[in-house]
Amino acid sequence: MSAIHLQYLLLLVSFLHHASSNSVPIFNAIYSFGASYEDTGNVAILSQASNQLKLPYGETFFRRPTGRASDGRLVIDRIATYVGLPFIPPSLAHGQDFRKGANFAVSGATALNLAFFQQNNIANQNVQNTSLSVQLEWFENQKPSICNTTCMQFFAKSLFMLGKFGDNDYFYMSLGGKTINFVNSTIPLVVKTIRSAAKRLLRQGVMHLVVTGIRPNGCVPVYLTLFASTNRSDYDSLGCLKVYNKIGIYHNALLCSAVKQLRLEFPHAKISFSEYYEPIIDFVRNPNKYGFTSGTQLRACCGGGGPYNVNLTAGCGQTGVPACPNPSTSISWDGLHLTDAAYNIIADGWWKGPYANPPILAL
Ligand SMILES: *[C@@H]1O[C@H](CO)[C@@H](O)[C@H](O)[C@H]1NC(C)=O
Ligand SMILES: *[C@@H]1O[C@H](CO)[C@@H](O)[C@H](O)[C@H]1NC(C)=O
Ligand SMILES: *[C@@H]1O[C@H](CO)[C@@H](O)[C@H](O)[C@H]1NC(C)=O
Ligand SMILES: *[C@@H]1O[C@H](CO)[C@@H](O)[C@H](O)[C@H]1NC(C)=O
Ligand SMILES: *[C@@H]1O[C@H](CO)[C@@H](O)[C@H](O)[C@H]1NC(C)=O
């Protein structure tokens, strides 16, 4: 048996043992930062107007809108369950106990601060003051109520998840009319910002950290609609827009190097790099293998029509905009975010591999 197989078997055994013993959680708490792929309800507390607060959002799992941008659970929800913890409450919720975790993620959040967007004249109503450093500030302000004087010891036993930052930064730049070269030129700064945030956490005693890469935006229905091209050679063989995927590849390569650097600087911490890019590309390439309907892989399940089922004047959550009858056969829920089914496969791949390196279970 190869070493890889043996390692996998050992992971599986420890996983099954844990699942059956149903005892103490693997980590005492989960603290999460991010944007809409991670937000478990902060957007609902900050802005009652969001479409995400209306059905059919939440129709599959919670059976009501919770502020999550999906028909059901996000990756963080599944990870919390695997760890043996309750769902992680949004950090802005009042009267919550955050000693088993807090989720600082907010839909629309950027890695770069609001000032960057203002200085470059690309601030729009979606660019809020909820960037990564703002979320870290919220976290640091909340520390006394979580662990008070024993935070180093407490955090050493917690799982920290630095979610998918960067996609919103690049999206707002493109929406603001910036060229792809401009967007590309900001990638080192965005990655440096994420790396600094990781260091800020690691210096506070964090020992188990997951850092997440961005998605293949060229295969995202909203991108395919907004940035459609009449030139066939702008599309790859899967029907995705090449340049937006290149942005993802470059960002993820730099972020992966940054993670390797962090492992050298913090040798006692365990740092995982987790992926959306690889799984989503694989879903698009081999939909049937994952239970998705072939031919729908670039279409939103919930939307107001058009070739990608994305209609900018009739978005999911607005009156009269339908969802597909069986969301579990779609990758994309609303044109930007994934279905409960897609998030489920990704969560499994972060937990046991192959979509996180090392898998969270091995941390
Ligand atoms: C954003 O919020 C932070 C604190 O949460 C504050 O220090 C900062 O001034 C705010 N920035 C802007 C541009 O409003
Ligand atoms: C934090 O610890 C200090 C000193 O031990 C104590 O006085 C204070 O009440 C504690 N605060 C909380 C929120 O537990
Ligand atoms: C982005 O910049 C990198 C580094 O200069 C380069 O290798 C890559 O081709 C660029 N990507 C795009 C889409 O321009
Ligand atoms: C289409 O794109 C290719 C590659 O980007 C470029 O070489 C070609 O000139 C473009 N064609 C038109 C008609 O713009
Ligand atoms: C988009 O939605 C608007 C408003 O509901 C509707 O009038 C229009 O026909 C839709 N466009 C497509 C392509 O379905």
Side-chain angles (χ1 to χ4, degrees):
M1 190 186 290
S2 74
I4 297 284
H5 280 126
L6 185 62
Q7 191 190 20
Y8 182 74
L9 193 70
L10 290 173
L11 284 178
L12 197 66
V13 167
S14 79
F15 174 65
L16 292 174
H17 174 73
H18 175 74
S20 61
S21 62
N22 193 20
S23 53
V24 202
I26 301 173
F27 300 106
N28 59 7
I30 298 178
Y31 296 96
S32 154
F33 305 85
S36 55
Y37 275 45
E38 295 86 12
D39 184 354
T40 52
N42 276 332
V43 72
I45 296 161
L46 285 175
S47 139
Q48 293 297 322
S50 165
N51 279 344
Q52 256 160 259
L53 302 188
K54 297 177 194 128
L55 280 168
Y57 282 93
E59 68 168 17
T60 300
F61 184 76
F62 297 95
R63 310 249 167 207
R64 63 184 169 84
T66 61
R68 286 171 178 79
S70 179
D71 57 315
R73 286 154 290 183
L74 311 178
V75 170
I76 171 123
D77 295 314
R78 309 275 184 170
I79 300 295
T81 303
Y82 295 158
V83 166
L85 289 168
F87 292 140
I88 308 305
S91 63
L92 302 175
H94 295 290
Q96 280 281 347
D97 180 356
F98 296 114
R99 283 173 299 182
K100 286 187 175 168
N103 187 355
F104 299 88
V106 187
S107 297
T110 50
L112 302 177
N113 287 336
L114 179 56
F116 172 90
F117 297 90
Q118 291 167 335
Q119 281 152 17
N120 285 281
N121 294 315
I122 43 176
N124 61 50
Q125 78 277 9
N126 295 315
V127 193
Q128 300 291 324
N129 191 19
T130 54
S131 66
L132 181 46
S133 71
V134 173
Q135 291 181 24
L136 284 168
E137 202 176 303
W138 292 346
F139 162 68
E140 283 154 12
N141 290 339
Q142 219 171 61
K143 272 170 74 170
S145 75
I146 297 171
C147 43
N148 204 359
T149 55
T150 55
C151 289
M152 292 291 263
Q153 296 94 305
F154 188 83
F155 292 154
K157 287 183 260 162
S158 303
L159 177 64
F160 279 74
M161 303 188 69
L162 204 41
K164 189 170 75 53
F165 280 98
D167 276 332
N168 286 326
D169 300 70
Y170 307 137
F171 188 47
Y172 297 150
M173 291 176 207
S174 297
L175 282 182
K178 294 292 181 192
T179 63
I180 205 75
N181 284 340
F182 178 89
V183 174
N184 202 39
S185 73
T186 67
I187 293 176
L189 175 65
V190 169
V191 169
K192 190 170 150 230
T193 305
I194 299 170
R195 194 187 62 188
S196 304
K199 279 193 189 183
R200 191 162 150 185
L201 289 171
L202 290 160
R203 282 198 210 99
Q204 295 178 64
V206 170
M207 296 295 279
H208 308 96
L209 177 66
V210 178
V211 180
T212 303
I214 65 173
R215 69 190 165 204
N217 279 305
C219 306
V220 167
V222 163
Y223 275 71
L224 287 159
T225 305
L226 280 173
F227 308 120
S229 167
T230 51
N231 187 342
R232 284 301 310 161
S233 56
D234 288 339
Y235 294 87
D236 66 15
S237 60
L238 296 172
C240 304
L241 284 162
K242 288 180 198 164
V243 285
Y244 295 97
N245 280 358
K246 280 191 189 153
I247 293 292
I249 290 170
Y250 183 40
H251 171 102
N252 290 340
L254 289 191
L255 188 59
C256 193
S257 306
V259 165
K260 287 182 183 149
Q261 198 68 44
L262 288 169
R263 287 182 189 132
L264 298 176
E265 288 173 61
F266 297 87
H268 300 298
K270 292 181 175 152
I271 311 172
S272 173
F273 181 66
S274 69
E275 289 248 40
Y276 279 107
Y277 195 100
E278 289 303 328
I280 293 175
I281 285 285
D282 208 34
F283 298 165
V284 171
R285 188 178 289 130
N286 304 304
N288 296 332
K289 186 173 154 194
Y290 299 98
F292 302 121
T293 305
S294 190
T296 69
Q297 59 267 54
L298 299 178
R299 284 176 63 82
C301 164
C302 181
Y308 302 102
N309 199 24
V310 170
N311 182 335
L312 301 175
T313 58
C316 186
Q318 282 174 240
T319 314
V321 176
C324 60
N326 189 355
S328 73
T329 62
S330 288
I331 301 164
S332 180
W333 164 245
D334 59 2
L336 277 177
H337 311 101
L338 307 183
T339 56
D340 181 270
Y343 282 131
N344 183 30
I345 301 168
I346 295 170
D348 204 56
W350 287 15
W351 184 250
K352 294 187 297 214
Y355 301 136
N357 182 21
I360 297 175
L361 191 50
L363 295 183

